[in-house]
Amino acid sequence: MAVTSAPTWKRFTGQWKVLEINLQGGKTAFFIAVLSKCVHIINMAWGQNCSIDVVSDCHRSHCCCCQRGPEGPCFPGTHFTATPLLLAGWWRTERDLDSSFRFRSSPCADTAVLKDEGLVPSPALGMALCSAGRRFLKDNPNSASKLRAWARARAVYTGADGYHAEEIKEKLRAFPGGSLDLVKRESGIAVMTVNNPTRRNAFSGTMMLDLEERVTELEMWKEGKGLIVQGAAGTFCSGSDLNAVRAISNPQDGMQMCMFMQNSLTRLLRLPLISVAVVEGRALGGGAELTTACDFRLMAPDSVIQFVHKHMGLVPGWGGAARLVRIVGSQSALKLLAGAKKVDAELGAAIGLSDGVLECPADGGVLPQAEQWLSRYVAGPADVVRAAKEVVVSGRERHLEEALRTEKDVFGTVWGGPANTAALAGKSKHK
Ligand SMILES: CCC(=O)SCCNC(=O)CCNC(=O)[C@H](O)C(C)(C)COP(=O)(O)OP(=O)(O)OC[C@H]1O[C@@H](n2cnc3c(N)ncnc32)[C@H](O)[C@@H]1OP(=O)(O)O
């Protein structure tokens, strides 16, 4: 069941807030938020068959109701079909919640109304709901793992944005061809290959679906440290498959495809893995956008990254413009987009789009060079490498105060951990 209007904070009292969400069919869902070290959200959906998208990732926080830590969260996030009383997500900060629902809270100390309506929540109520939720997850292990995946995912769009995931997936399934192949290595580095050589690795509909699946797989890969994204057969990716683009060129499908790809590529960039796009040949249109969803880009000598969207009467829609501005700054981004400028390895290095030039491929191709380049950043224990990526993502995406809090939480996961203890036990000099 869809959310029919922007959620609003209805009540606010001290540590508690009640958020009201209007659902289709006149149903209402309430979320009770406990504001303290973490924000614990309890969703009580009064009515059958309503479904709400909730995305969160406070897997490292401790629930202030039941004091559960990362291993036993109440609910790390959900996309749920709610029964009269169901479940929840919990957010690390209030702002996470706000951005999940795209609204701003406006606290209005309205204790009296709360009391009048007998709605004053209590820690006991919170605990009861936590425990009901845990029981649900125990009885529904598939939901639990899905929830965990969602928790890590932190996609941009949900049903509240008018995004209909299943509908667009159905449409994309009608444009088959190619694949996105993923190999996870013992070294902790995975290689994802955009594989559709007969169309210069253009993204068919099913490859877009593959991308989402591969990202989900990587989100659940706890041993992972690094990711290399490459194209098959010596070229990176020629963007979206023009045959599919022509078929779904109506505004509705375009928007849905845009949200689908933004979600997947945002999740790709937010993975706790250090990622690098290895660009050989051409990275055009959506292919250029894909390179920006990696932390780094390495370019082969004759390679070109080109945001050809302008030539197509478009601007990027897979999040490539927003990411490009963050990588090269607005001046350079404007030149690349408004001029559809070809970026070769030299220009790429000069403007900071490329982080290194690969040498002419030897027998083994450029992959070993890329692995060698990446190895200096992924050396060491996975939890430390992943923590480094996490604090950088947080610093890039969150307001300072929130990023500082996240940094504290992530710091707490490595402080006194095995790598830290071993380092302290040895002689520590960094000459
Ligand atoms: C998100 C927005 C977007 O991404 S819009 C898509 C933007 N991309 C494009 O417009 C790329 C158009 N393609 C090209 O410019 C050239 O094909 C490039 C990639 C430079 C390769 O040139 P070249 O090496 O000479 O090969 P070619 O043109 O003979 O192509 C080989 C076969 O591949 C196909 N192909 C290529 N790109 C796409 C694509 N994006 N979608 C669908 N098919 C594509 C070509 O049509 C060609 O197929 P065929 O062998 O003629 O059947």
Side-chain angles (χ1 to χ4, degrees), residues 89-133:
W90 43 315
W91 279 254
R92 192 173 291 163
T93 67
E94 186 182 347
R95 190 167 166 275
D96 279 2
L97 173 68
D98 288 348
S99 56
S100 294
F101 285 106
R102 313 214 152 279
F103 72 99
R104 299 299 312 169
S105 60
S106 51
C108 53
D110 205 353
T111 319
V113 180
L114 257 177
K115 281 186 178 147
D116 284 353
E117 295 181 8
L119 271 172
V120 179
S122 68
L125 171 62
M127 288 191 72
L129 292 173
C130 286
S131 112

Side-chain angles (χ1 to χ4, degrees), residues 171-173 175-177 203-210 241 244 260:
K171 294 222 162 120
L172 292 174
R173 249 173 238 125
F175 302 98
F203 261 88
S204 67
T206 52
M207 286 168 72
M208 293 183 196
L209 299 175
D210 276 4
D241 185 327
F260 180 81

Side-chain angles (χ1 to χ4, degrees), residues 140-172:
N140 298 271
N142 288 339
S143 298
S145 63
K146 263 192 202 154
L147 293 184
R148 275 184 209 106
W150 268 100
R152 300 232 38 102
R154 305 209 55 224
V156 181
Y157 301 104
T158 68
D161 299 293
Y163 171 55
H164 306 296
E166 291 314 316
E167 279 174 33
I168 187 63
K169 284 185 189 181
E170 196 56 46
K171 294 222 162 120
L172 292 174

Side-chain angles (χ1 to χ4, degrees), residues 198-200 202 238-243 245 282 284-287 289 308-309 312 314 318:
T198 54
R199 292 184 179 172
R200 301 298 184 262
S238 63
S240 49
D241 185 327
L242 292 168
N243 304 308
V245 166
R282 307 290 192 99
L284 301 184
E289 296 193 61
V308 295
H309 306 75
M312 310 287 298
L314 288 173
W318 294 0

Side-chain angles (χ1 to χ4, degrees), residues 259-293:
M259 289 192 271
F260 180 81
M261 287 302 283
Q262 280 196 19
N263 272 357
S264 298
L265 293 177
T266 303
R267 290 169 57 192
L268 178 68
L269 186 56
R270 287 176 177 170
L271 285 171
L273 309 173
I274 299 180
S275 55
V276 57
V278 174
V279 183
E280 290 183 280
R282 307 290 192 99
L284 301 184
E289 296 193 61
L290 173 60
T291 71
T292 64

